[in-house]
Amino acid sequence: AVAVVFVALLTTAIALWTWPSAAREGNSARDPVARDLSAYRLRVGDQVDVVVYEHAELSRGSVVPGNGEISFLPIGKLKLLDKTVFEVEAEIAQRLRAENFLASPRVSCIVTAYSPRIVYLLGAVQGTVQLPTHKNVRILELLAMAGGLSNPSADFSRVTVRRYRQDGQAYPIPV
């Protein structure tokens, strides 16, 4: 039997290996599966709290909806999808200043709950695995989470990882 690992992450193509790579950053001492959560881009289903200091009436919690936009009074529509929390903070502060609502707004945006990253495995290894948010997962770890390589007749030298782009197109990744 050929082991086929079918990987589909909901809405985004987040790499299963290092992100960002320690080698690209020139930091060989860094944990290779650690994720830089400050570079995390908001996804559908993430829960965020936006706080405008000294203006509790403007602070609110929200879940990133399917279209990626929320209504944030008094500035109107605000796109959260695919932005970092720092980009959201800067945009809210800039728009509050530009519309003369606040002269010096201090804004923070905190992710209070991450939308689950789900991987589906088909073939000799089958199962559904929810990936952790705080770190990336190597393929071997993913297979272990799904119950391991217990099929003695499977050919694990021919594993295929298939990812999906936002446009729905599949593309294979050699393993």
Side-chain angles (χ1 to χ4, degrees):
V2 174
V4 178
V5 180
F6 174 80
V7 180
L9 296 180
L10 304 176
T11 70
T12 60
I14 299 174
L16 291 175
W17 39 87
T18 61
W19 176 60
S21 169
R24 283 194 304 268
E25 295 176 358
N27 182 2
S28 60
R30 182 176 172 167
D31 180 355
V33 294
R35 291 183 72 206
D36 180 4
L37 291 180
S38 67
Y40 178 81
R41 299 218 166 256
L42 295 173
R43 300 173 48 232
V44 172
D46 286 342
Q47 295 177 21
V48 295
D49 279 345
V50 176
V51 176
V52 181
Y53 294 101
E54 298 177 7
H55 295 276
E57 71 279 6
L58 298 178
S59 300
R60 63 175 291 190
S62 185
V63 175
V64 178
N67 69 357
E69 292 183 343
I70 62 169
S71 179
F72 193 86
L73 298 175
I75 60 174
K77 294 283 185 189
L78 176 68
K79 182 182 177 195
L80 299 177
L81 186 63
D82 203 34
K83 290 188 177 181
T84 68
V85 292
F86 303 112
E87 291 169 341
V88 172
E89 292 168 353
E91 181 176 347
I92 293 171
Q94 182 274 325
R95 288 174 62 184
L96 288 170
R97 272 190 304 276
E99 296 180 24
N100 294 320
F101 193 78
L102 296 174
S104 300
R106 291 185 307 138
V107 180
S108 73
C109 180
I110 302 162
V111 179
T112 56
Y114 294 92
S115 178
R117 299 185 319 157
I118 310 279
V119 176
Y120 302 95
L121 302 148
L122 301 172
V125 177
Q126 295 186 8
T128 303
V129 177
Q130 183 169 328
L131 298 175
T133 300
H134 66 284
K135 72 175 205 147
N136 287 300
V137 178
R138 292 181 176 105
I139 292 174
L140 188 58
E141 293 171 314
L142 180 68
L143 293 171
M145 286 182 211
L149 308 176
S150 59
N151 187 338
S153 64
D155 179 4
F156 289 103
S157 67
R158 295 179 47 193
V159 174
T160 302
V161 175
R162 188 176 307 148
R163 304 292 307 271
Y164 286 87
R165 295 183 181 99
Q166 288 183 347
D167 64 5
Q169 284 291 101
Y171 63 97
I173 299 173
V175 179

